[in-house]
Amino acid sequence: MLSVVHLAKTFAGPPPRRVFESISFSAALGEFVAIVGESGSGKSTLLNVIAGLERPDSGSVTIDGVDLASLEDDAVTVFRRSHMGFVFQSFHVLPYLTVAQNVALPLALCGLHGAEATLRTTGMLRAVRLGERGASMPRELSGGELQRVAIARALVHRPTIVLADEPTGNLDTVNAAQVIALLRECAKSNGATVLLATHSHTAAAAADRVLPLSTDNATGVASIVVER
């Protein structure tokens, strides 16, 4: 369960710039929520704050009953390793590791090795339709396949929440649709909440709920204006 209450964030500048304020919403386990906004509206910053990568000016982020503001930076890092998964626009797959080794990285960071790690990695690769590509190097895969590797890596350690920042931004229309469908399918089967940040209304259409992030023309400050 994710609860976001009255989040506000300002960049110090100069000059100081208020990015967003009064952001409040919740998301249940297994729910797929899309945060939709134009480039520069603060979507990525919002995900970073929810992930504990940046501290808000005010407000709170609570995941599985834990208020991230109550944790020191090192404790947030440990919490993030076990409770969160990430999918990025640029894949961030390590080129010198095999596909299977990339997928297994979160397990190693959580201290899981050996047969159980191999079993989970193999299972996730099958789930994203890459069961025969574990020994391949990233350079041998297409963009769509690399994003499927990223989805497997994001879910292999069974996180509570997956944060996906423009995961279809570098893909063509066909691969984008496949990646969003696969992200939704795999997250639902693992019981993970998904927060998808996107400018694409087509990608957002796959979500259970859409949160438009709108920027006020006068102030330049973003807020969530409606929830459906």
Side-chain angles (χ1 to χ4, degrees):
M1 177 71 179
L2 167 69
S3 176
V4 174
V5 180
H6 298 310
L7 277 190
K9 179 66 178 177
T10 302
F11 288 147
R17 182 172 74 88
R18 190 76 150 180
V19 183
F20 54 74
E21 62 185 9
S22 301
I23 300 287
S24 296
F25 66 92
S26 60
L29 284 175
E31 189 175 15
F32 192 134
V33 179
I35 300 169
V36 180
E38 297 302 319
S39 177
S41 62
K43 302 184 301 298
S44 295
T45 302
L46 178 57
L47 289 194
N48 286 344
V49 171
I50 291 171
L53 294 167
E54 298 182 39
R55 296 285 187 176
D57 301 338
S58 59
S60 64
V61 176
T62 303
I63 299 173
D64 282 353
V66 177
D67 182 353
L68 297 190
S70 69
L71 303 178
E72 298 293 333
D73 288 346
D74 288 349
V76 171
T77 298
V78 172
F79 184 86
R80 187 164 51 239
R81 285 176 185 169
S82 59
H83 287 75
M84 302 181 195
F86 297 87
V87 183
F88 303 99
Q89 178 176 338
S90 298
F91 318 136
H92 294 306
V93 174
L94 298 180
Y96 49 84
L97 297 180
T98 67
V99 166
Q101 288 169 335
N102 269 283
V103 172
L105 274 176
L107 299 176
L109 291 173
C110 292
L112 186 63
H113 304 277
E116 177 62 20
T118 299
L119 186 64
R120 285 205 201 179
T121 300
T122 302
M124 279 309 310
L125 284 173
R126 284 199 300 264
V128 298
R129 294 28 160 193
L130 292 173
E132 305 301 319
R133 303 303 299 273
S136 298
M137 300 302 293
R139 64 178 179 273
E140 300 168 4
L141 274 62
S142 68
E145 288 172 328
L146 287 172
Q147 199 59 294
R148 283 150 60 189
V149 173
I151 292 171
R153 182 184 57 196
L155 287 162
V156 70
H157 57 303
R158 299 172 184 168
T160 300
I161 182 169
V162 174
L163 304 171
D165 191 1
E166 295 283 9
T168 62
N170 287 341
L171 303 177
D172 60 50
T173 303
V174 173
N175 276 300
Q178 291 174 348
V179 162
I180 290 296
L182 199 57
L183 177 60
R184 177 183 174 88
E185 175 188 331
C186 290
K188 292 282 186 182
S189 65
N190 281 272
T193 301
V194 175
L195 286 188
L196 167 70
T198 183
H199 67 276
S200 168
H201 291 276
T202 301
D208 300 318
R209 191 154 45 104
V210 176
L211 306 180
L213 192 62
S214 179
T215 302
D216 185 279
N217 289 332
T219 65
V221 179
S223 60
I224 289 175
V225 296
V226 67
E227 198 167 326
R228 66 175 174 83

